[in-house]
Amino acid sequence: MQLAYEYKEKRMTKCAKFELVLLENQSIKYKDFIKLIKNMKNDVTIIKNKTIWKNYELDNFTDDYVKKNNTKPETEDILSYKTVSGYINNQFKTVYSEMYSANLSQSIKDACKRYKNDLKDFKKGEKSITSYKKQPIDLHNKSIIIKYDTEIKEYIAYIKLFSRGYAKELGLQRCGLDFRLSTSNNKYLIKILQNIVNDNYKICGSKLELKPKKVNKKNVLKCYLFLNYEFEQSKNIDLDKNNIMGIDLGITMPAAMWYSNELRNSIAYKVPQHCGEYIIDGEETKRVRSQIFNRKQKMQRICKYRGDGSLNHGTKTKTNPVTKLNQKWSDFRKTQNYKFAKQIVNNAIKHNCGTIQMEDLKGVTRDTDKTFLYNWTFFDLQQKIINKAAEYGIEVKKINRVYTSQRCPVCGCIHHDNRLVQSVFKCVNCGHTDNADLNAAKNICDKDIEKKIKDSHCYKAGEKIDKSLSMII
């Protein structure tokens, strides 16, 4: 069993998106500012890719050294620096002297952290070496200062972007620029800024990005701040850690849920007013997906028969409508995942569950029976569940999914023939019948499910049941 999140008394981190409006009383025009940000984004992408490869080269050197000497050398003995990021930073600070030093350090640390996280999977051959494309600008927490201007009654962010020498070349008196943080009268965003100004929230490492926005029916590049902030846990709810919610991210629906304090043969989920407590309806998702994919296929066919007006304008112009649809689908999935995660955690609180168990879905491919999951961002959904659960102190665990869909939660029989139909579970031993996803959720909510499956006999297709073999309930 893998512990995805264990609650401890600590601070929570969240992210908020703000449009940045460059204040006019500065010696730089907006067009020039956009060009500078574009160049800096390219530099950040190159820096991160170079950092990955320097880590890779160091690992190769270390592996060769271990083979020859049977001992692993210390990083300080090889590089004369305590950390790899410190060594790389020392090399890059003269090459990328235009960047604010703290932001440069932040980019290098982020790439080093990503490399370490992916290293095991990379060595197993499950992942390729990370390659960055079109990266946002990394901002150190000390690079951002937010204040409230009483004269214009707006929140102002001072963001450090340039080194002192480069700032002088640009005719700036300081290393950064002042921006107005556009909130569009959003109460949620205003509350975040109020808490930051009042020191209730602490600013963390953030991102600065350029994104197109429609202005007078034209796409204009706008600058956005993805502000990460930290705050103390405030939602203290006394939940039962031994009461477990099991989640099956499913075949015919986004998620099915069951609770360890409920009977395994209960049919409460069939009552309409309780349906949302056990099943997340995926009909809207399927409808939107069908509409977008059908429209996408039509557009791809039309692209072959474009008129003369679209000729010689490049591939990007031809495929732009399809790209927009892909983005629309991506945005929809993210929004739905937020809704699903919120509903799941609210159900856990309602049923007094202090622990959530869900399948470890690593390795889901087209060959598996998880059709809905393969076409859905399941990792993103699981991560959002983990993040939302952390706000309420709910512990999240990931379990091995093997045989959870073939096991009967009533008698403990594990048989391949229990799932002759994809969406229906019917036990060949006791006759228990259930929705396939809900049946899996009933197994997943069992505290000792992995041990029970390991100690049970697993029948293959067509194999007769031997009553002398153990069935652990």
Side-chain angles (χ1 to χ4, degrees):
M1 185 180 292
Q2 180 187 351
L3 191 63
Y5 172 78
E6 181 181 11
Y7 174 71
K8 294 177 182 178
E9 289 294 335
K10 62 176 185 179
R11 296 170 72 88
M12 297 294 303
T13 304
K14 283 193 172 187
C15 181
K17 179 183 172 183
F18 295 92
E19 184 183 338
L20 295 176
V21 181
L22 185 69
L23 295 184
E24 294 179 356
N25 58 346
Q26 297 173 99
S27 57
I28 189 169
K29 293 180 180 179
Y30 186 74
K31 286 184 179 179
D32 296 330
F33 165 71
I34 294 295
K35 285 181 182 178
L36 289 170
I37 296 302
K38 280 183 178 179
N39 292 335
M40 197 172 289
K41 274 169 56 65
N42 291 334
D43 286 344
V44 169
T45 305
I46 294 166
I47 287 164
K48 287 191 170 183
N49 283 323
K50 284 184 176 180
T51 301
I52 293 291
W53 278 103
K54 284 191 178 291
N55 275 277
Y56 176 67
E57 288 170 359
L58 175 65
D59 272 342
N60 284 340
F61 175 83
T62 304
D63 290 342
D64 291 339
Y65 186 92
V66 171
K67 287 177 183 178
K68 290 179 182 178
N69 302 287
N70 293 324
T71 56
K72 189 176 180 180
E74 295 292 331
T75 305
E76 194 171 358
D77 295 334
I78 303 170
L79 305 175
S80 300
Y81 278 84
K82 289 184 178 180
T83 61
V84 181
S85 58
Y87 168 75
I88 297 170
N89 188 42
N90 185 57
Q91 288 192 322
F92 286 176
K93 67 182 181 183
T94 51
V95 180
Y96 301 97
S97 57
E98 297 173 353
M99 288 180 66
Y100 186 65
S101 58
N103 297 341
L104 173 64
S105 177
Q106 185 75 25
S107 297
I108 293 167
K109 284 180 180 177
D110 280 1
C112 286
K113 186 178 179 181
R114 175 73 179 272
Y115 181 82
K116 284 182 181 178
N117 291 340
D118 294 345
L119 185 59
K120 285 184 180 179
D121 292 334
F122 164 63
K123 287 189 173 180
K124 288 178 184 176
E126 293 176 0
K127 274 188 180 181
S128 58
I129 296 175
T130 306
S131 178
Y132 290 99
K133 295 178 181 178
K134 296 181 180 180
Q135 285 296 292
I137 296 169
D138 297 292
L139 300 174
H140 194 272
N141 63 335
K142 293 181 180 177
S143 302
I144 307 167
I145 300 169
I146 295 174
K147 292 181 179 179
Y148 183 72
D149 193 319
T150 53
E151 291 183 8
I152 61 173
K153 295 182 179 180
E154 294 282 358
Y155 287 95
I156 306 298
Y158 171 63
I159 301 175
K160 298 175 185 178
L161 294 165
F162 316 110
S163 62
R164 288 183 182 179
Y166 190 56
K168 286 181 181 178
E169 287 181 28
L170 295 172
L172 300 172
Q173 295 179 351
R174 299 182 295 172
C175 298
L177 296 166
D178 289 317
F179 301 90
R180 178 174 64 82
L181 292 166
S182 177
T183 58
S184 303
N185 293 322
N186 186 312
K187 292 180 181 179
Y188 174 70
L189 295 178
I190 292 168
K191 188 179 178 181
I192 291 168
L193 294 174
Q194 285 173 348
N195 282 302
I196 289 171
V197 171
N198 295 331
D199 294 328
N200 296 326
Y201 292 173
K202 182 185 174 184
I203 296 172
C204 303
S206 304
K207 309 278 184 186
L208 190 142
E209 180 64 293
L210 293 176
K211 285 186 174 290
K213 182 182 178 182
K214 275 196 174 181
V215 179
N216 297 327
K217 296 184 179 180
K218 290 184 179 180
N219 281 332
V220 179
L221 273 180
K222 295 288 183 180
C223 193
Y224 292 89
L225 173 65
F226 291 86
L227 182 68
N228 291 322
Y229 58 95
E230 192 180 61
F231 58 94
E232 288 183 1
Q233 177 74 25
S234 58
K235 300 172 183 178
N236 295 319
I237 300 175
D238 188 19
L239 299 171
D240 184 4
K241 295 289 180 184
N242 294 319
N243 189 12
I244 300 168
M245 174 198 226
I247 304 172
D248 180 70
L249 303 178
I251 299 159
T252 57
M253 61 189 75
M257 297 153 281
W258 204 261
Y259 314 92
S260 60
N261 60 351
E262 293 201 13
L263 295 173
R264 299 291 193 271
N265 58 354
S266 171
I267 56 169
Y269 66 90
K270 292 185 178 179
V271 182
Q273 59 264 36
H274 296 304
C275 184
E277 295 178 35
Y278 302 93
I279 295 171
I280 291 180
D281 186 17
E283 290 305 315
E284 182 192 359
T285 303
K286 289 177 183 177
R287 179 179 55 78
V288 173
R289 179 171 60 187
S290 177
Q291 287 176 352
I292 290 175
F293 276 64
N294 288 339
R295 194 174 171 191
K296 182 180 171 181
Q297 286 179 342
K298 287 178 183 178
M299 284 185 171
Q300 285 173 332
R301 291 192 206 103
I302 291 167
C303 281
K304 296 179 183 179
Y305 309 103
R306 291 275 182 178
D308 294 337
S310 64
L311 294 174
N312 303 320
H313 287 286
T315 307
K316 191 175 179 181
T317 304
K318 284 187 176 182
T319 59
N320 193 41
V322 177
T323 306
K324 284 181 178 178
L325 275 179
N326 287 337
Q327 186 59 47
K328 188 175 181 180
W329 173 237
S330 177
D331 292 342
F332 174 78
R333 287 190 300 183
K334 287 178 183 177
T335 304
Q336 288 297 94
N337 281 346
Y338 275 117
K339 290 179 181 178
F340 295 159
K342 187 177 180 181
Q343 184 178 345
I344 287 166
V345 174
N346 285 344
N347 285 341
I349 294 167
K350 185 177 180 179
H351 287 264
N352 194 32
C353 295
T355 305
I356 291 175
Q357 284 188 178
M358 53 187 174
E359 298 169 296
D360 187 358
L361 295 171
K362 196 174 183 180
V364 172
T365 64
R366 288 186 191 274
D367 297 328
T368 65
D369 59 355
K370 296 286 184 179
T371 312
F372 188 95
L373 288 175
Y374 187 80
N375 294 296
W376 196 254
T377 51
F378 61 86
F379 176 80
D380 180 60
L381 175 54
Q382 284 195 332
Q383 198 57 46
K384 283 178 171 58
I385 292 169
I386 291 167
N387 294 340
K388 194 68 182 173
E391 291 183 32
Y392 297 92
I394 299 172
E395 197 174 291
V396 179
K397 295 177 181 177
K398 288 184 181 179
I399 65 162
N400 192 337
R401 62 193 180 91
V402 177
Y403 297 117
T404 54
S405 61
Q406 294 179 14
R407 180 181 183 271
C408 176
V410 177
C411 69
C413 174
I414 302 172
H415 203 298
H416 182 275
D417 295 341
N418 287 346
R419 286 282 310 285
L420 290 175
V421 182
Q422 189 185 49
S423 60
V424 179
F425 176 91
K426 187 174 182 179
C427 181
V428 294
N429 182 50
C430 69
H432 171 67
T433 306
D434 209 339
N435 174 280
D437 292 329
L438 271 166
N439 182 78
K442 289 175 182 180
N443 285 317
I444 293 166
C445 73
D446 192 320
K447 185 180 180 181
D448 303 313
I449 186 61
E450 286 180 321
K451 188 177 183 302
K452 288 179 180 179
I453 289 174
K454 188 178 179 182
D455 295 342
S456 297
H457 178 74
C458 304
Y459 293 94
K460 296 178 182 177
E463 188 178 351
K464 291 183 179 181
I465 294 173
D466 186 351
K467 296 293 181 180
S468 64
L469 295 174
S470 61
M471 293 183 188
I472 302 169
I473 302 173

